[in-house]
């Protein structure tokens, strides 16, 4: 079955360390997205990519970086510059067109202490 | 800019009660509208969608009608079950290529038997 795989499900890091969250999709979608979810905050857009080798900042890109070297993969790096990195991170993809829904992975819960 | 406002929770109901979760939006043009559901520790799943005014999306007993005159997309279900307990998100997709979905803050539904 096609879908989006995020790994790992839980991730623990010490403050000051960079950490990379994996996102892989086999849906053949061009567009991929990273959202951050905090209690009571809904989903906030970090970065998105419409095509390989291109990506755009979302609403809360500071302290994060991404790459899009392959259509299937869109890893997110949480850098030490991110002031409050503990959160639930969701990766998603979709087909072109405003009416197309997002397909989500099961998320990675990052805890930084 | 575009935005989504949904009623704050939590919403607490008894099994077989009627459910309404309000969602209103602000957008230029004619966005597509979505409802997603999230179970604990998981990603978001598409529940239903509507892509133009007066469209009704429906799935698993849930319904929502795209009302352009009131800029609303309220979620309804005639008889909730304990298994419907989850967080529900309303979202819009601007009618522009290369844009991301914008989400409301989510409404937690708790159904007791």
């Amino acid at each position: 079955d096609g879908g989006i795989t995020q790994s790992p499900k839980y991730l623990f890091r010490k403050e000051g360390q960079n950490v990379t969250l994996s996102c892989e999709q086999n849906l053949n979608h061009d567009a991929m997205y990273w959202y951050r979810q905090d209690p009571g905050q809904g989903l906030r857009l970090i970065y998105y990519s419409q095509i390989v080798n291109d990506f755009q900042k979302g609403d809360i890109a500071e302290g994060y970086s991404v790459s899009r070297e392959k259509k299937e993969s869109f890893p997110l790096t949480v850098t030490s510059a991110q002031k409050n990195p503990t959160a639930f991170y969701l990766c998603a993809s979709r087909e072109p067109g405003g009416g197309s829904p997002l397909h989500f992975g099961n998320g990675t819960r990052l805890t930084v202490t | 800019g575009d935005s989504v406002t949904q009623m704050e929770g939590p919403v607490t109901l008894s099994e077989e009660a009627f459910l309404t979760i309000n969602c209103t939006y602000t957008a230029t043009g004619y966005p597509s509208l979505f409802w997603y559901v999230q179970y604990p520790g998981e990603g978001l799943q598409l529940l239903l969608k509507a892509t133009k005014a007066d469209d009704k999306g429906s799935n698993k007993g849930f319904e929502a009608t795209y009302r352009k005159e009131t800029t609303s997309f309220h979620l309804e279900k005639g008889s909730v079950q304990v298994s419907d307990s989850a967080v529900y998100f309303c979202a819009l997709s601007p009618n522009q290529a290369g844009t991301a979905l914008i989400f409301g803050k989510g409404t937690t539904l708790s159904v007791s038997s």
Side-chain angles (χ1 to χ4, degrees), chain A residues 9-10 33 35 37 40-43 45 48 50 56 88 90 94 97-107 109, chain B residues 32 34 36 38 41-46 49 51 87 89 93-106:
Chain A
K9 189 168 178 65
Y10 299 97
Y33 305 80
Y35 287 89
Q37 184 177 17
Q41 295 287 324
L43 274 68
L45 181 66
Y48 62 104
Q50 298 294 316
Q56 289 78 40
F88 190 51
L90 288 160
R94 70 192 288 199
S100 299
L102 281 176
H103 298 258
F104 283 88
N106 277 331
R109 184 166 298 281
Chain B
S32 295
F34 305 86
Y36 282 84
Q38 184 181 35
E42 298 184 5
L44 277 68
Q45 302 173 25
L46 177 68
K49 73 172 190 178
T51 57
V87 182
F89 291 91
S93 177
N95 192 18
Q96 301 170 14
T99 56
L101 265 65
I102 298 167
F103 287 84
K105 293 189 174 183

Side-chain angles (χ1 to χ4, degrees), chain B:
Chain B
D2 296 355
S3 66
V4 174
T5 302
Q6 58 182 107
M7 63 186 287
E8 294 188 17
V11 174
T12 304
L13 295 172
S14 298
E15 206 165 23
E16 299 183 4
F18 185 85
L19 168 70
T20 300
I21 299 178
N22 291 338
C23 172
T24 57
Y25 68 89
T26 301
T28 54
Y30 303 95
S32 295
L33 301 172
F34 305 86
W35 276 101
Y36 282 84
V37 59
Q38 184 181 35
Y39 299 101
E42 298 184 5
L44 277 68
Q45 302 173 25
L46 177 68
L47 184 58
L48 53 84
K49 73 172 190 178
T51 57
K52 62 182 186 295
D54 300 325
D55 267 1
K56 177 187 281 188
S58 61
N59 186 24
K60 300 179 181 178
F62 291 90
E63 294 183 339
T65 300
Y66 188 161
R67 301 285 188 200
K68 182 171 177 292
E69 63 275 13
T70 54
T71 62
S72 65
F73 193 55
H74 304 322
L75 182 68
E76 296 181 337
K77 187 176 186 183
S79 176
V80 293
Q81 305 300 312
V82 172
S83 57
D84 293 327
S85 298
V87 182
Y88 292 82
F89 291 91
C90 184
L92 73 81
S93 177
N95 192 18
Q96 301 170 14
T99 56
L101 265 65
I102 298 167
F103 287 84
K105 293 189 174 183
T107 302
T108 299
L109 171 65
S110 178
V111 181
S112 58
S113 58

Side-chain angles (χ1 to χ4, degrees), chain A residues 24-74:
Chain A
E24 303 279 332
Q25 55 104 354
N26 60 3
L27 299 167
N28 201 34
H29 289 166
D30 284 315
M32 296 187 73
Y33 305 80
W34 276 105
Y35 287 89
R36 170 179 171 142
Q37 184 177 17
D38 297 283
Q41 295 287 324
L43 274 68
R44 294 182 289 171
L45 181 66
I46 305 173
Y47 267 99
Y48 62 104
S49 168
Q50 298 294 316
I51 198 168
V52 173
N53 292 324
D54 188 36
F55 47 82
Q56 289 78 40
K57 292 182 179 181
D59 300 319
I60 57 165
E62 185 175 350
Y64 299 97
S65 65
V66 293
S67 62
R68 188 84 187 278
E69 297 176 1
K70 299 187 300 182
K71 187 175 185 177
E72 303 79 21
S73 179
F74 191 40

